[in-house]
């Protein structure tokens, strides 16, 4: 469990990445933003990579939590995906700076430990959607003429594109409203 100070460091790191990109996340910038010394940061995290791993661990925990909710959620595949997307889009709308980290996995490709962790996050979401689609195909409420892996790719890619477009437009449209339109379209694709 993270201390309050560690949580503050993580939150401020996300804000810095959102405003200045990954290059702007330095221990110096972080200590200045929080108002503690650079050695103060190092008392809580051994390195910038350790901070980024903690951020990604938080995202993985959220992905696991959402997956667990799907295990107990009663409904069709489309209703489950709608529930999942609605939750995710609400989180992004409330904390837009998260998008800069979670949908910018390319910033982690040069650091193996970070690449592994972001892959775990993406795989957790992918497995959740895959399980939903498989069950939907078994129950005949998701079309079976398109293979499961392709449907998962369509769903995940659609969400990613919507969120990236929202982020790149400086949040110029209502993400949750556009998300409902996306879900309606996906419903037609899946049915």
């Amino acid at each position: 469990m993270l201390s309050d100070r560690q949580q503050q460091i993580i939150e401020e790191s996300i804000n810095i990445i959102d405003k200045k990109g990954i290059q702007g996340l330095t221990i110096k910038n972080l200590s200045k933003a929080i108002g503690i010394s650079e050695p103060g940061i190092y008392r809580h995290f051994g390195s910038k990579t350790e901070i980024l791993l903690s951020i990604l661990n938080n995202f993985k925990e959220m992905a696991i939590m959402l997956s667990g909710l799907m295990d107990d959620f009663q409904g069709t595949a489309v209703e489950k995906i709608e529930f999942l997307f609605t939750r995710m889009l609400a989180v992004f709308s409330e904390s837009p700076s998260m998008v800069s980290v979670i949908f910018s996995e390319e910033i982690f490709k040069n650091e193996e430990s970070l690449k592994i962790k972001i892959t775990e996050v993406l795989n957790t979401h992918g497995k959740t959607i895959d399980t939903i689609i498989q069950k939907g195909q078994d129950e005949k409420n998701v079309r079976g003429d398109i293979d499961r892996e392709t449907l998962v790719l369509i769903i995940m890619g659609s969400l990613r594109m919507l969120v990236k477009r929202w982020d790149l437009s400086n949040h110029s449209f209502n993400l949750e409203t556009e998300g409902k339109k996306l879900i309606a379209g996906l419903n037609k694709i899946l049915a």
Side-chain angles (χ1 to χ4, degrees):
M1 179 149 226
L2 297 173
S3 70
D4 289 343
R5 180 63 84 184
Q6 286 174 313
Q7 195 59 45
Q8 180 188 21
I9 291 168
I10 287 172
E11 289 170 12
E12 193 56 46
S13 296
I14 292 170
N15 289 332
I16 289 171
I17 292 169
D18 184 47
K19 291 177 185 145
K20 299 180 180 184
I22 193 71
Q23 304 82 359
L25 180 61
T26 64
I27 299 301
K28 183 176 185 170
N29 287 343
L30 189 54
S31 67
K32 186 187 290 186
I34 293 174
I36 63 173
S37 67
E38 292 178 43
I41 300 287
Y42 286 115
R43 278 194 287 279
H44 298 283
F45 291 100
S47 66
K48 181 171 122 175
T49 299
E50 195 176 307
I51 294 169
L52 291 168
L53 282 169
S54 291
I55 292 170
L56 294 175
N57 277 330
N58 282 352
F59 292 151
K60 185 177 178 186
E61 287 173 17
M62 280 192 282
I64 291 169
M65 182 199 68
L66 284 171
S67 181
L69 289 174
M70 291 297 95
D71 292 340
D72 299 329
F73 188 88
Q74 299 299 312
T76 66
V78 171
E79 290 168 338
K80 288 180 177 187
I81 290 169
E82 180 176 7
F83 177 81
L84 188 66
F85 275 25
T86 301
R87 287 288 178 106
M88 291 172 79
L89 295 175
V91 168
F92 295 146
S93 292
E94 291 170 17
S95 304
S97 57
M98 288 178 64
V99 173
S100 297
V101 178
I102 205 164
F103 285 96
S104 297
E105 60 273 358
E106 64 274 0
I107 65 178
F108 303 122
K109 69 181 178 184
N110 294 325
E111 177 69 48
E112 192 63 26
S113 62
L114 297 175
K115 188 166 77 172
I116 290 168
K117 189 58 70 177
I118 196 70
T119 300
E120 289 173 6
V121 173
L122 292 172
N123 287 343
T124 300
H125 286 302
K127 286 177 188 172
T128 300
I129 294 172
D130 185 80
T131 300
I132 291 169
I133 295 300
Q134 179 65 61
K135 188 172 184 200
Q137 287 178 330
D138 292 346
E139 294 172 351
K140 308 288 188 222
N141 60 39
V142 170
R143 66 190 304 161
D145 61 331
I146 299 176
D147 68 275
R148 190 176 74 248
E149 293 83 9
T150 300
L151 290 174
V152 171
L153 187 61
I154 290 168
I155 292 165
M156 290 184 69
S158 299
L159 176 67
R160 178 184 172 82
M161 185 64 184
L162 174 65
V163 175
K164 286 295 282 186
R165 190 169 49 100
W166 174 73
D167 190 45
L168 291 171
S169 75
N170 294 318
H171 319 129
S172 67
F173 58 87
N174 185 300
L175 182 59
E176 294 174 82
T177 300
E178 292 301 311
K180 288 177 184 173
K181 290 179 191 176
L182 175 61
I183 291 164
L186 288 173
N187 187 13
K188 291 176 183 176
I189 292 169
L190 294 174

